[in-house]
Amino acid sequence: MIVYFQNCKGESRKIGAAADCDKAWAIIYKFIEEHNYKPDYVRTWEEDGKHYYDVGSHTEFFYTEEE
């Protein structure tokens, strides 16, 4: 699966590739750590075949899609 970051303008960019959800979380946490961000909460949901990950920003998200 491909892991994407979607910014507050709705623009997405690939940040990694993962074999499973655990690896996707590792990529996401590495990304937020590199940007000195500490999430207040984490929530996930599935929509239109994508798995979304909200790590507390309200306007920026991560999501995964199958290759």
Side-chain angles (χ1 to χ4, degrees):
M1 67 181 61
I2 304 298
V3 182
Y4 294 92
F5 171 71
Q6 181 177 313
N7 68 19
C8 62
K9 297 177 183 176
E11 301 165 337
S12 297
R13 70 177 191 252
K14 178 182 172 180
I15 62 168
D20 56 38
C21 290
D22 289 336
K23 301 286 188 222
W25 272 115
I27 291 167
I28 291 167
Y29 275 107
K30 181 180 177 193
F31 183 91
I32 63 176
E33 208 171 66
E34 288 172 350
H35 290 84
N36 298 315
Y37 183 75
K38 303 279 186 204
D40 293 328
Y41 65 87
V42 174
R43 69 183 177 108
T44 64
W45 72 97
E46 189 174 338
E47 184 178 309
D48 298 328
K50 297 177 185 176
H51 294 275
Y52 286 89
Y53 304 83
D54 176 1
V55 294
S57 112
H58 300 287
T59 59
E60 297 179 323
F61 302 94
F62 298 89
Y63 65 91
T64 60
E65 285 186 314
E66 294 300 323
E67 294 186 64

